[in-house]
Amino acid sequence: MAKTSRRLECNVAGDFFVDDSCIDCGACRWLAPQSFDREGEYAFVAHQPDDAVQTDAVLAALVACPVGAIGGGGRQVAEAARRFPLLWPGVPAGHGVYAVGFHSRDTFGAASWLIVRPGGNVLVDCPRYDGHLADRIDRLGGVHTLFLTHRDDVAGHERWADRFGAERILHAGDVADGTAMVERPIHGTDPIDLADDLRLLPVPGHTEGHLCLLYRDRYLFTGDHLAFANVPHGQPTGLIAFDRFCWYDWREQTASMARLAEQPFEWVFPGHGAPGYLSGEAMRADLVRLVAWMATRNLA
Ligand code: SF4
């Protein structure tokens, strides 16, 4: 847990603070954009919450923080932890898209998402393991499929798969020693319909075997392939690709991005950064803009 003795000086006065164990994963800044900002390589509390909504957002960030760098909250913290998995605002309850919270240090604080659906729940990427969180996921129907978008976000997959007897999906291009036992390695670059409402989309580029998952022709889970730019204290803006963090091939990632324009989706749920919504038409137009920008970047 965060230590007051290590509290960063840039925090504003008040109950909540960030200490110097912060790894700058950015999760707090999109979970509670009204309260957190960044200075140098640290997040800090720029504005103490002044209503219940802002307090809940800061507490959610505190629970999600992969290294326990956020302090404050007292007895409210345990209650905040029990709110995860958290139905994501703006998504109809019947569509069952939940933020799992409990981000892991081993995935550099990547978000994990839970899709609750009659055909079997899907856990997209791995949160850090917590037995009480697993019990709450169990009450939502458990995990039928553990969908691993790419090799960077697999940490802890054994424990989650064992807990629920889940089938793991990972592209063969991203399988390594620690994931050689995944039940369903994916080959090739053709989309695969896993069910009527679930389509797997290979999008090589960030890594050789990166995958996206399209749910209900509306919700796209994108790992590190595609995200929204975040504006401090504001709503996410345009689509982005992480050109400074492309580990495999930027040209392939650009081609993968162009193929995504053929898919219908209105929501993007990335591994890093805030989820965002655009109408289908606006999403496609912004994707076309992004692909054109990517083509101007001459990265290896
Ligand atoms: S969530 Fe934690 S580690 Fe990530 S930026 Fe915020 S304080 Fe730092």
Side-chain angles (χ1 to χ4, degrees), residues 117-121 144 197:
R117 54 188 283 281
N121 296 350
H144 178 272
D197 58 351

Side-chain angles (χ1 to χ4, degrees), residues 17-19 21-29 31 36-37 41-44 61-62 64-70 103 108-109:
F17 65 94
V18 176
D19 78 9
S21 64
C22 169
I23 59 170
D24 195 26
C25 74
C28 57
R29 293 193 290 274
L31 281 161
F36 290 92
D37 208 333
E41 296 183 346
Y42 296 114
F44 70 100
L62 189 155
C65 177
V67 293
I70 302 172
H103 300 199
F108 192 60

Side-chain angles (χ1 to χ4, degrees), residues 195-228:
D196 288 348
D197 58 351
L198 283 178
R199 183 176 304 143
L200 172 159
L201 302 164
V203 286
H206 174 77
T207 59
E208 182 178 358
H210 200 298
L211 299 171
C212 288
L213 182 66
L214 179 62
Y215 169 54
R216 295 180 77 112
D217 284 345
R218 190 167 184 191
Y219 307 98
L220 188 68
F221 298 85
T222 57
D224 287 359
H225 178 67
L226 174 69
F228 270 101

Side-chain angles (χ1 to χ4, degrees), residues 159-171:
R159 210 156 172 201
W160 286 105
D162 288 351
R163 173 70 169 75
F164 292 106
E167 177 186 61
R168 285 161 284 192
I169 293 179
L170 177 67
H171 196 282

